[in-house]
Amino acid sequence: MDLKSLIRDIPDFPKPGIVFRDITTLLRDPQGLRYTIDIFAEKCIDAGLKADYIVGMESRGFIFGTPLAYKLGVGFIPVRKPGKLPAPVHSVEYELEYGTDCLEMHQDALHPNSRVLIVDDLIATGGTASATASLIQKIGCELVGFGFIIELRDLQGRKNLPDVPIISLVEY
């Protein structure tokens, strides 16, 4: 199946000169969504990415991470923006192009030595994925890899990530 044909390009969003890769058109296609999760799981298995948990970043990482966790028979842990989680959290602050942001995860979500696969819809510069990896490693977990539906190769996000396997289903 050609996943690119199910991803809509929206020019000049969120600002002029940017082409936004819209996954909502992929999500509404039942066969495309099923194929995406099935092929994602297959690639994780083929790459030997044996995780105990999938960690997905707010919010599109939730969309793909949860069914992937189900398919692989592992747990799912959400990583959220500040103030969204009700129990005590671990947090990590990271740099954005203009300022900083923060990600949080419940303190009791993972135990040291857990094997973790980080999943999101897209990797651009790698900032959010790298911050999530820092959070995982701060807890003492083993990062087994990253999985993305879309990779924007020109932005070279891979170079900002730890040296673990990276799966991407579609490249632009």
Side-chain angles (χ1 to χ4, degrees):
M1 178 173 282
D2 179 16
L3 289 180
K4 271 189 180 179
S5 70
L6 298 175
I7 298 168
R8 176 173 43 192
D9 293 345
I10 300 179
D12 299 321
F13 184 84
K15 60 184 184 179
I18 303 291
V19 176
F20 186 83
R21 308 300 180 178
D22 181 19
I23 60 161
T24 62
T25 47
L26 168 62
L27 294 173
R28 77 174 179 207
D29 185 283
Q31 293 81 22
L33 180 57
R34 179 181 299 275
Y35 176 81
T36 299
I37 299 305
D38 288 348
I39 196 72
F40 214 165
E42 184 180 305
K43 286 183 177 284
C44 289
I45 292 166
D46 290 350
L49 301 181
K50 294 183 172 116
D52 301 311
Y53 300 96
I54 291 185
V55 168
M57 291 86 82
E58 186 169 348
S59 65
R60 292 175 299 231
F62 300 174
I63 295 170
F64 294 104
T66 302
L68 182 60
Y70 172 81
K71 184 87 173 169
L72 294 175
V74 302
F76 176 80
I77 309 297
V79 170
R80 309 241 17 217
K81 299 289 185 180
K84 302 284 187 176
L85 294 171
V89 297
H90 291 293
S91 62
V92 62
E93 193 170 280
Y94 63 104
E95 297 291 323
L96 297 170
E97 189 176 348
Y98 300 105
T100 62
D101 207 347
C102 183
L103 295 171
E104 296 181 339
M105 178 176 51
H106 278 144
Q107 288 179 2
D108 63 357
L110 294 171
H111 303 289
N113 301 315
S114 297
R115 296 172 311 204
V116 174
L117 172 65
I118 295 174
V119 171
D120 206 357
D121 69 321
L122 180 136
I123 179 171
T125 63
T128 304
S130 178
T132 302
S134 295
L135 186 60
I136 297 306
Q137 292 167 329
K138 174 179 162 181
I139 297 167
C141 295
E142 177 188 351
L143 177 62
V144 300
F146 293 93
F148 305 101
I149 305 302
I150 300 169
E151 181 172 1
L152 304 178
R153 296 289 294 203
D154 289 347
L155 297 178
Q156 301 179 7
R158 283 179 181 245
K159 72 178 184 180
N160 297 316
L161 301 180
D163 187 22
V164 294
I166 300 169
I167 294 169
S168 58
L169 302 184
V170 177
E171 297 179 358
Y172 289 94

